[in-house]
Amino acid sequence: MIVSGIDIVVQKSKRKTVSIFIERDGSVSARVPEKLSDEEIKEILKAKEYQIFKNLAEWTQLNENVVEREYVNGQSFLYLGRNYRLKLVEDKLKGVQFIRNTFLLNKADKHKAKELFVKFYKDKLSNKIQPIVERYKGQLGVEPNDIKVMELQNRWASCTPRGNVNFHWKCAMAPIDVLHYIVVHELAHLIHINHSSAFWNEVDKILPNYEDQVNWLKINGVGMDL
């Protein structure tokens, strides 16, 4: 749907309010009540024009910090909130290794470096996410059906209607406190499927400083890429 010259992806669902999001790739999406007609949706989005342009301008400013990484000696890669250098070696290694605060990669595998880094992040996150989920599911009184680490495009995590909770492999780049927030956020969706005040109250009960983690993602999320 084109509104004020902006292509907005509209998603209808059983909700009461209209929420607008600037996705990590700069696209704009709106989640709206399914009962609204296209004309009503356009009117509401038109009324939110200032907010949309303000958020797009903010996204543009934040994306000035985009890091274009190359798989060469000395290039830094994020892991648990800190940057570590890559060293290409002659040693026969199985994929990407993280040893003594350095990423190691066989020179012969440079052509598939991105694929190997993704596998590294997936494996590490899979190991780290489970105990965090175990910790908070009890506090929230929820029981996720399944936990997966996968590619989620523009989302850090997602919660399906069936109770499956998925995490983007890029979450392994975030500090551990931010990772805890992402887990709590998604588990809270097993109680409240929307982002209502009740949902945020649930998050706040577990993590009173959650806004610090939201801000970290907002500022640094653009750098969490390969």
Side-chain angles (χ1 to χ4, degrees):
M1 179 179 291
I2 306 295
V3 179
S4 301
I6 301 173
D7 188 2
I8 302 177
V9 178
V10 175
Q11 301 173 339
K12 292 186 176 183
S13 63
K14 293 180 179 179
R15 56 185 294 134
K16 296 180 179 179
T17 59
V18 173
S19 296
I20 299 171
F21 301 90
I22 309 299
E23 305 292 354
R24 295 214 322 267
D25 63 357
S27 62
V28 182
S29 64
R31 292 162 202 170
V32 306
E34 58 186 4
K35 65 181 181 180
L36 294 179
S37 68
D38 287 350
E39 285 304 313
E40 289 173 322
I41 294 170
K42 281 188 177 181
E43 287 182 15
I44 293 173
L45 295 180
K46 182 70 176 176
K48 293 179 178 288
E49 180 182 280
Y50 173 78
Q51 176 192 338
I52 295 172
F53 279 105
K54 178 176 178 292
N55 291 344
L56 277 172
E58 187 177 70
W59 179 90
T60 300
Q61 184 177 10
L62 290 173
N63 274 266
E64 291 175 355
N65 298 322
V66 170
V67 177
E68 292 188 9
R69 292 184 170 87
E70 298 180 22
Y71 301 97
V72 297
N73 280 319
Q75 176 67 69
S76 64
F77 291 84
L78 271 171
Y79 179 47
L80 296 179
R82 295 184 60 186
N83 278 294
Y84 299 96
R85 302 290 181 182
L86 170 64
K87 183 178 180 180
L88 299 175
V89 297
E90 301 286 352
D91 306 7
K92 290 185 178 180
L93 301 174
K94 187 176 180 181
V96 172
Q97 300 294 316
F98 186 67
I99 301 173
R100 292 190 291 276
N101 292 336
T102 302
F103 284 111
L104 301 179
L105 177 67
N106 190 322
K107 288 181 179 179
D109 290 333
K110 184 179 176 181
H111 66 287
K112 55 179 180 180
K114 182 173 182 176
E115 173 189 336
L116 294 176
F117 261 98
V118 169
K119 185 179 187 307
F120 169 86
Y121 287 126
K122 280 184 176 180
D123 291 345
K124 292 298 182 182
L125 185 61
S126 295
N127 290 333
K128 291 185 179 297
I129 210 78
Q130 197 61 48
I132 300 174
V133 170
E134 290 297 320
R135 172 181 175 177
Y136 291 115
K137 74 178 187 180
Q139 293 184 44
L140 286 161
V142 298
E143 186 61 55
N145 181 48
D146 194 16
I147 303 293
K148 290 183 179 179
V149 174
M150 58 197 298
E151 171 66 52
L152 287 173
Q153 297 183 335
N154 295 318
R155 292 187 179 187
W156 298 119
S158 67
C159 180
T160 73
R162 293 186 176 183
N164 297 327
V165 182
N166 305 313
F167 297 94
H168 199 307
W169 55 264
K170 291 181 182 179
C171 289
M173 299 181 184
I176 198 70
D177 287 349
V178 174
L179 189 53
H180 278 239
Y181 158 70
I182 294 172
V183 170
V184 170
H185 183 117
E186 294 309 318
L187 292 182
H189 276 314
L190 294 174
I191 305 171
H192 304 284
I193 62 172
N194 50 31
H195 288 104
S196 62
S197 58
F199 166 83
W200 290 113
N201 286 339
E202 206 70 51
V203 174
D204 185 69
K205 282 190 291 186
I206 306 297
L207 299 175
N209 67 334
Y210 77 87
E211 289 185 355
D212 293 341
Q213 320 313 330
V214 173
N215 287 332
W216 191 94
L217 280 171
K218 187 176 182 181
I219 294 169
N220 299 284
V222 69
M224 294 166 63
D225 205 351
L226 291 176

